[in-house]
Amino acid sequence: LLVTSAMHNEGKTVTALNLALTLAQQPNCNVLLIDADLRKGSVKRWLGLAQRPGLSEVLSEGIKPAAQAFTRDISVMSCCIE
């Protein structure tokens, strides 16, 4: 699923987080949440995750992808190190 909108501050991050948490509650469902907002990524901040290489580093520097486990069923890849 892709969550997007035409304007900023329309609730994309909260919607994506809620979708990820809801889907992860389903039996045998693992979720990978990728924060692809390269200008103002905030999923990492909302979840209190540490700074690690993210999507921009994987794409530009060829770093091996490494999502952080948030819960047993949800992994998160941030947009960048910031």
Side-chain angles (χ1 to χ4, degrees):
L1 290 173
L2 172 68
V3 178
T4 187
S5 71
M7 305 286 292
H8 65 283
N9 293 329
E10 292 187 325
K12 296 175 290 292
T13 300
V14 172
T15 300
L17 286 168
N18 283 326
L19 277 170
L21 292 168
T22 301
L23 289 171
Q25 292 176 359
Q26 303 305 310
N28 301 318
C29 184
N30 293 317
V31 176
L32 173 60
L33 176 60
I34 299 175
D35 186 354
D37 186 341
L38 299 179
R39 291 186 183 181
K40 192 179 171 189
S42 60
V43 170
K44 178 175 46 181
R45 181 175 43 85
W46 275 80
L47 299 178
L49 298 174
Q51 292 186 359
R52 294 181 60 185
L55 180 62
S56 64
E57 287 79 24
V58 169
L59 296 176
S60 66
E61 301 171 22
I63 295 174
K64 183 178 178 182
Q68 297 183 65
F70 175 64
T71 68
R72 184 172 51 91
D73 299 319
I74 300 177
S75 297
V76 177
M77 178 182 285
S78 64
C79 60
C80 53
I81 292 177
E82 297 178 359

